[in-house]
């Protein structure tokens, strides 16, 4: 936060449209009766008439006993309400679907669109002049931004903020890059049962989202870059008092929206989306964020072209040195200057016309930061990498594209032609990957299929295929791996993701068999399946699509979900 919230003033919305509790009255065929009934029921909660005469700020409360990343929601809601009340509006908090990454089967991604649909419906149906959306864990922020973009209610995003790293035997630990690093070492036999149990106690010791530049933090930085949250609030750690002041400030600003609304349609523009892509690349951010940003932009009719992503990637340096690709944690990034410092470094690459929730043009808000810690936010002349973290690949194996996080990959594997070792799905992977008799060498390409958005697996973060145990124990730390699923933003390795069309949609990935040759060329942005057309045609004739679930959310997903290059949104929600 680098500017004061607006002072209390007359919030009476302009014009003759209904506002406050009078918005969206229930359809009884008698609008006055509907409002009378609404007031009467609201009074049963103890509100005075003076309170009910105020503009209304809805507060999306995603607190849940299943969501450790949202443990501070009660405090954040209270602080937000304080800001709303002090600035003359009435705060009304309400629950929506809450998604915690490790708590959901088959994967939280399967429910992102459900959370977006729920949030959009409640933003649109309930009476409110503005909203504060409180999220944090990976899928909640994208869902809330998708909802706000579609409902087009003036809204401010507030994140729970990242957890703090914890000292452990001379180093620091935080979820979840260190989880993966130590688990890989445990699988390789270099970490004992006792030590891995001790680490389990120390990986996540405070409230908040994962402490590295994983999906949650990447999406928070993207939300700030898009302009949907006030400047310098993306990275404030969850447990700092500053986080509560950000909540109070968000409440105050949302109250001010009653008289001067700024709708998401004015904020989420093509230029703002391109700025967000630049920041994603400069962060060395999560691959998941590309899917989410595509879905958010899609809600405003803006298409992200993966070929354009490659152009941006080739002209955007990685400047942020945080785990999983670097060394720092989110608390270091915030102390180092956060998103404002990064935007300042990238200023000549950015569009300067987008506005944010404060109504300020990016060009006007770019001021030289008072302090930048160069250990975590590099100068343009000394980047972590001269090119962006993500690259899109195309070819006969991925006609609509695939993604590689080159900043987290092994450059020696960038140009690889090798034999495929194929796993038909997650069960096949689990059953065979550690089989001592598995026919595999470190030069093979591990291929997982049937794990995309349309598959029953629901596009989980399983793209970080484990190195087969016998190779891990021989010291192999990376291999080329590829799939139609996703990878945690906290993971690393030479891993091709989001292959589109996916296997379950009948993409070429469905036809790959063990022993086929595959060529990966990061230099040429190519991913080729080196199998002749006649062989592929014979395999295609024998291929069957997965069966459609009988009912419920799974059926809606199976009939509606789009591919990764379209953000995996539901077709009816675009
Ligand atoms: Fe919630 Fe990582 S599990 S942000």
């Amino acid at each position: 936060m680098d500017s004061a919230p607006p002072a209390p003033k007359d919030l009476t919305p302009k014009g003759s449209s209904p506002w406050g509790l009078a918005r969206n009255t229930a359809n009884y065929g008698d609008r006055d009766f509907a409002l009378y009934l609404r007031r009467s029921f609201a009074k049963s909660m103890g509100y005075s008439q003076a309170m009910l005469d105020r503009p209304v700020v809805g507060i999306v409360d995603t607190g849940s006993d299943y969501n450790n990343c949202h443990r501070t929601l009660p405090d954040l809601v209270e602080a937000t309400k304080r800001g709303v009340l002090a600035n003359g509006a009435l705060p009304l908090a309400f629950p929506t679907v809450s998604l915690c990454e490790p708590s959901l089967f088959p994967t939280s991604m399967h429910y992102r669109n459900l959370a977006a649909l729920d949030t959009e419906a409640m933003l649109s149906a309930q009476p409110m002049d503005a909203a504060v959306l409180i999220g944090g864990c990976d899928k909640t922020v994208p869902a809330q931004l998708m909802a706000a973009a579609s409902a087009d209610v003036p809204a401010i995003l507030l994140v729970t903020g990242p957890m703090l790293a914890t000292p452990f035997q001379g180093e620091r630990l935080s979820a979840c890059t260190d989880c993966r690093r130590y688990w890989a070492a445990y699988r390789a036999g270099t970490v004992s049962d006792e030590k891995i149990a001790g680490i389990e106690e120390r990986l996540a010791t405070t409230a908040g989202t994962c402490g590295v530049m994983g999906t949650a933090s990447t999406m928070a930085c993207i939300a700030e870059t898009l302009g949907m949250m006030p400047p310098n609030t993306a990275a404030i750690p969850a447990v700092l008092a500053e986080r509560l002041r950000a909540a109070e400030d968000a409440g105050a600003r949302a109250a001010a929206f009653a008289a001067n609304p700024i709708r998401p349609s004015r904020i989420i523009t093509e230029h703002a989306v391109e700025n967000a892509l630049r920041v994603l690349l400069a962060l060395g951010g999560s691959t998941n964020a590309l899917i989410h940003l595509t879905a958010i932009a899609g809600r405003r009719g803006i298409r992200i072209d993966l070929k354009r992503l490659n152009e941006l990637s080739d002209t955007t340096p990685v400047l942020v040195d945080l785990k999983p690709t670097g060394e720092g944690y989110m608390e270091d990034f915030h102390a180092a200057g956060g998103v404002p410092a990064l935007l300042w470094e990238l200023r000549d690459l950015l569009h300067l016309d987008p506005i944010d929730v404060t109504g300020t043009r990016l060009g006007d808000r770019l001021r030289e930061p008072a302090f930048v810690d160069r250990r975590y936010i590099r100068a343009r002349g000394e980047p972590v990498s001269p090119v962006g973290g993500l690259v899109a690949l195309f070819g006969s194996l991925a006609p609509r594209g695939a993604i590689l996080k080159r900043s987290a990959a092994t450059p020696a594997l960038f140009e690889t032609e090798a034999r495929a070792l194929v796993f038909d799905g997650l069960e096949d992977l689990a059953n065979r990957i550690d089989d001592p008799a598995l026919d595999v060498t470190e030069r093979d390409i591990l291929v997982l299929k049937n794990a995309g958005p349309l598959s029953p697996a629901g596009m989980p973060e399983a793209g970080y295929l484990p190195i087969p145990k016998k190779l891990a124990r021989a010291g192999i730390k990376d291999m080329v791996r590829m799939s139609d699923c996703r990878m945690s933003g906290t993971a690393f390795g030479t891993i091709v993701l989001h292959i589109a069309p996916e296997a379950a949609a009948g993409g070429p990935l469905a036809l790959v068999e063990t022993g086929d040759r595959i060529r990966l060329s990061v230099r040429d942005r190519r991913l080729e399946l080196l199998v002749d057309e006649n062989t592929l045609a014979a395999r295609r004739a024998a291929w069957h699509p997965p069966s459609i679930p009988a009912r419920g959310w799974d059926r809606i997903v199976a009939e509606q979900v789009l591919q990764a290059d379209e953000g995996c949104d539901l077709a009816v929600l675009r």
Side-chain angles (χ1 to χ4, degrees):
M1 281 185 309
D2 58 0
S3 62
K9 56 187 172 194
D10 177 16
L11 295 179
T12 309
K14 299 175 181 64
S16 57
S17 303
W19 56 273
L21 277 195
R23 282 184 187 270
N24 300 332
T25 45
N27 274 339
Y28 295 121
D30 180 342
R31 201 180 152 272
D32 290 342
F33 171 72
L35 185 54
Y36 169 77
L37 198 66
R38 178 175 284 174
R39 279 198 309 266
S40 148
F41 277 67
K43 281 178 179 170
S44 79
M45 292 187 278
Y47 292 112
S48 65
Q49 185 62 49
M51 274 291 166
L52 299 182
D53 284 342
R54 290 180 169 205
V56 174
V57 172
I59 301 172
V60 174
D61 180 348
T62 48
S64 160
D65 284 352
Y66 284 96
N67 197 336
N68 54 289
C69 304
H70 292 199
R71 173 150 70 87
T72 52
L73 250 293
D75 291 345
L76 291 171
V77 169
E78 184 188 313
T80 305
K81 285 185 170 180
R82 198 160 64 227
V84 174
L85 283 168
N87 285 274
L90 171 64
L92 295 177
F94 60 98
T96 61
V97 167
S98 181
L99 306 174
C100 182
E101 197 55 33
S103 298
L104 291 151
F105 175 84
T107 166
S108 66
M109 183 65 184
H110 187 61
Y111 300 102
R112 183 203 62 182
N113 296 334
L114 181 64
L117 184 57
D118 171 17
T119 309
E120 177 189 339
M122 291 303 102
L123 290 178
S124 302
Q126 298 178 130
M128 68 187 75
D129 301 285
V132 176
L133 315 168
I134 311 180
C137 195
D138 292 17
K139 307 303 174 295
T140 57
V141 169
Q144 291 177 338
L145 290 172
M146 291 160 73
S150 289
D152 210 20
V153 169
I156 293 178
L157 194 89
L158 174 72
V159 288
T160 54
M163 64 178 69
L164 296 180
T166 302
F168 176 77
Q169 297 184 355
E171 63 170 328
R172 292 186 293 165
L173 297 181
S174 186
C176 210
T177 301
D178 298 322
C179 325
R180 294 174 197 287
R181 178 167 60 91
Y182 271 109
W183 190 254
Y186 177 62
R187 282 177 54 80
T190 57
V191 164
S192 66
D193 288 343
E194 192 183 15
K195 185 166 182 178
I196 200 76
I199 289 166
E200 185 178 311
E201 303 287 328
R202 310 294 290 167
L203 281 167
T205 59
T206 79
T209 49
C210 290
V212 301
M213 192 54 79
T215 305
S217 292
T218 304
M219 286 311 303
C221 294
I222 280 179
E224 183 175 329
T225 305
L226 281 174
M228 288 297 294
M229 69 167 69
N232 207 14
T233 57
I236 303 168
V239 295
L240 296 196
E242 192 182 349
R243 173 56 65 197
L244 293 174
R245 285 193 287 274
E248 188 180 303
D249 178 79
R253 292 186 189 282
F257 273 168
N260 294 298
I262 302 175
R263 296 184 184 279
S265 52
R266 286 181 59 200
I267 296 173
I268 304 172
T269 62
E270 207 163 334
H271 280 181
V273 169
E274 190 156 300
N275 286 347
L277 278 173
R278 288 271 191 205
V279 163
L280 167 60
L281 294 162
L283 290 170
S286 162
T287 46
N288 291 320
L290 183 61
I291 291 181
H292 299 320
L293 184 57
T294 301
I296 294 160
R299 294 297 186 99
R300 298 293 339 148
I302 301 163
R303 176 169 168 73
I304 290 180
D305 180 350
L306 292 179
K307 294 202 166 77
R308 178 66 180 148
L309 173 78
N310 279 343
E311 291 169 14
L312 295 174
S313 194
D314 287 343
T315 53
T316 308
V318 178
L319 297 180
V320 174
D321 195 356
L322 295 191
K323 292 190 179 199
T325 52
E327 282 307 311
Y329 293 92
M330 284 304 292
E331 66 212 66
D332 304 317
F333 179 62
H334 182 58
V339 173
L342 180 62
L343 292 175
W344 167 258
E345 290 298 333
L346 295 171
R347 61 195 179 282
D348 61 303
L349 298 174
L350 300 175
H351 301 287
L352 302 180
D353 58 297
I355 60 165
D356 63 21
V357 286
T358 72
T360 311
R361 278 177 75 251
L362 178 61
D364 296 330
R365 116 181 172 214
L366 282 177
R367 280 169 291 166
E368 189 165 6
F371 169 77
V372 183
D373 186 336
R374 292 293 181 203
R375 287 176 298 171
Y376 304 110
I377 302 175
R378 303 280 189 85
R380 287 284 286 283
E382 295 174 285
V384 176
S385 158
V387 291
L390 305 182
V391 65
L393 308 167
F394 300 90
S396 56
L397 187 52
R400 286 169 55 182
I403 297 297
L404 174 81
K405 186 173 182 179
R406 60 181 165 186
S407 59
T410 304
L413 297 174
F414 282 4
E415 306 300 318
T416 295
E417 184 191 316
R419 183 187 77 132
L421 173 56
V422 179
F423 299 92
D424 266 330
L426 292 164
E427 199 178 335
D428 185 32
L429 176 71
N431 288 341
R432 291 198 293 132
I433 191 74
D434 289 335
D435 183 344
L438 186 68
D439 176 16
V440 63
T441 76
E442 73 265 32
R443 290 177 301 283
D444 290 332
I445 295 176
L446 304 182
V447 178
L448 172 66
K449 54 188 187 183
N450 297 316
L454 199 52
S455 74
M459 205 183 193
E461 293 186 336
Y464 179 70
L465 276 68
I467 303 291
K469 204 174 248 178
K470 66 181 181 183
L471 295 181
R473 298 214 156 171
I476 302 303
K477 297 219 161 24
D478 195 9
M479 295 172 68
V480 178
R481 291 160 270 178
M482 51 187 67
S483 70
D484 47 11
C485 60
R486 300 175 300 118
M487 170 174 91
S488 165
T490 61
F492 44 86
T494 309
I495 296 173
V496 177
L497 303 155
H498 312 174
I499 290 177
E502 64 175 295
L509 182 64
L511 311 180
V512 185
E513 294 183 0
T514 292
D516 290 348
R517 305 289 295 179
I518 291 176
R519 183 186 302 134
L520 164 70
S521 173
V522 177
R523 180 189 58 224
D524 298 335
R525 313 284 189 263
R526 302 301 293 175
L527 189 62
E528 307 286 1
L529 175 59
L530 306 177
V531 176
D532 67 81
E533 278 303 324
N534 289 341
T535 304
L536 290 177
R539 290 179 188 174
R540 184 169 297 285
W543 177 80
H544 299 289
S547 56
I548 300 278
R551 60 173 297 283
W553 180 247
D554 292 352
R555 179 162 186 144
I556 292 171
V557 171
E559 291 179 345
Q560 287 286 328
V561 77
L562 300 169
Q563 293 292 285
D565 60 329
E566 295 177 303
C568 302
D569 203 351
L570 300 189
V572 288
L573 296 179
R574 297 256 291 182

